[in-house]
Amino acid sequence: MSSQTHQSTDPRHIGIIMDGNGRWAKKRGYSRPKGHQEGAKTTRKIIDACRELGVRYLTLYAFSAENWSRPDMEVKALMELLEFFLGRETKALIKNRVRLHAIGRIEELPEQARKALNKAMEATAHFDEWHLTLALNYGSRQEMLDAAKGFAKSVACGETDAEQAGWDDLARHFYTKELPDPDLIIRTSGETRISNFLLMQSAYAEFYFTDVLWPDFDKVELEKAIACYHRRERRYGKTGEQIARPTTVSPLQPSA
Ligand code: FPP
């Protein structure tokens, strides 16, 4: 994550809080894992839709640092689903030239899921056009703490001068250091919380909330979110008149 000067009106990076799998399943008398399986099908379709719509970066909140507190059976089902998803999706990612990234405390994931993830990331590491990031065992506060520790270490070893340090010197310790900031954050299922997702990175993002449950979300719903994004005016603290007639670009101005 760094300061960028991306000026396109299209969102370059979309983050999605994929919510509502449980309610989707409950409404149909299914188990919660069945809801997650349906959610995984939507995930697959939205990865393709993003490419078709020219969205180069997609970040999906697949498992939060707080999700470990769910019933053991559900956590196990989610980890198995992740492994299954990666096993099936890697070929498609390679075919479509999509690079897979992961953010979060990946080292704490079960071994099998971690292995599948590392394998898929290695197999796609040379691509640079399309980027899919899975937030796994992710939480922004944990990320901030890990970044603060990394920053403190770089100060202690003399690599960084704490007095002279700017935002980028801290941001290069975030899990998202290779990604631009998100332009648009979508949350499905009617909840209007950010739930510890990309808190620092979404400082200038637009937010879009929809009542649609994640298994029912599709390309049409994604297009609605992008259309809504296009109607927003992103001002970064400036006046509307300044945005209409841009002068100089601030070094701290984030993407788009
Ligand atoms: C939130 O819905 C969803 C999750 C905690 C998991 C998200 C996982 C998927 C969409 C599965 C596929 C993804 C991958 C990458 C394998 P919820 O269970 O909290 O729904 P509820 O609020 O209706 O109970």
Side-chain angles (χ1 to χ4, degrees), residues 18-24 32 36 39-40 43 61-63 67 70 74 78 81-82 85 134 189 214:
M18 309 180 287
D19 198 6
N21 295 344
R23 276 163 285 168
W24 184 94
R32 292 181 59 84
H36 295 312
T43 302
Y61 206 4
F63 193 86
N67 283 153
R70 294 193 172 203
E74 185 172 342
L78 277 166
L81 182 60
L82 171 66
F85 176 88
L134 297 180
S189 89
W214 180 247

Side-chain angles (χ1 to χ4, degrees), residues 11-214:
R12 175 169 55 161
H13 183 179
I14 296 182
I16 307 184
I17 303 175
M18 309 180 287
D19 198 6
N21 295 344
R23 276 163 285 168
W24 184 94
K26 193 174 178 190
K27 274 206 315 200
R28 289 161 179 80
Y30 297 149
S31 67
R32 292 181 59 84
K34 169 74 179 158
H36 295 312
Q37 282 169 21
E38 286 302 310
K41 289 183 192 166
T42 299
T43 302
R44 200 170 295 137
K45 289 181 207 154
I46 293 303
I47 295 168
D48 289 342
C50 278
R51 252 186 331 103
E52 287 156 19
L53 296 171
V55 177
R56 287 189 57 205
Y57 292 84
L58 172 65
T59 298
L60 300 171
Y61 206 4
F63 193 86
S64 77
E66 290 75 28
N67 283 153
W68 297 110
S69 56
R70 294 193 172 203
D72 289 350
M73 180 275 282
E74 185 172 342
V75 170
K76 189 168 175 282
L78 277 166
M79 290 300 145
E80 284 171 1
L81 182 60
L82 171 66
E83 213 185 304
F84 177 74
F85 176 88
L86 291 166
R88 273 187 63 147
E89 276 313 284
T90 304
K91 262 192 197 153
L93 295 178
I94 294 170
K95 179 171 165 273
N96 295 319
R97 311 182 64 75
V98 181
R99 178 170 177 189
L100 180 71
H101 307 255
I103 54 172
R105 290 184 178 164
I106 303 306
E107 66 283 1
E108 291 172 6
L109 292 176
E111 192 184 353
Q112 288 305 104
R114 209 173 57 235
K115 276 187 179 165
L117 188 64
N118 286 332
K119 201 171 152 195
M121 288 196 294
E122 275 166 29
T124 60
H126 51 295
F127 297 130
D128 192 32
E129 195 177 354
W130 308 102
H131 297 263
L132 168 66
T133 302
L134 297 180
L136 292 161
N137 190 21
Y138 176 85
S140 284
R141 288 186 171 177
Q142 292 80 350
E143 179 177 35
M144 188 69 223
L145 181 61
D146 288 347
K149 288 179 185 172
F151 180 82
K153 274 186 200 158
S154 77
V155 169
C157 74
E159 191 184 291
T160 303
D161 178 345
E163 289 302 322
Q164 298 297 318
W167 172 251
D168 284 349
D169 295 299
L170 177 62
R172 72 188 163 83
H173 295 282
F174 282 115
Y175 307 144
T176 52
K177 57 184 178 292
E178 293 179 307
L179 308 173
D181 284 342
D183 302 302
L184 172 64
I185 302 282
I186 298 172
R187 183 170 189 154
T188 57
S189 89
E191 307 295 346
T192 50
R193 292 183 292 277
I194 191 73
S195 299
N196 211 9
F197 181 56
L198 300 181
L199 292 184
M200 299 307 299
Q201 297 85 342
S202 61
Y204 290 95
E206 297 294 329
F207 289 84
Y208 178 85
F209 299 103
T210 171
D211 288 340
V212 175
L213 303 175
W214 180 247

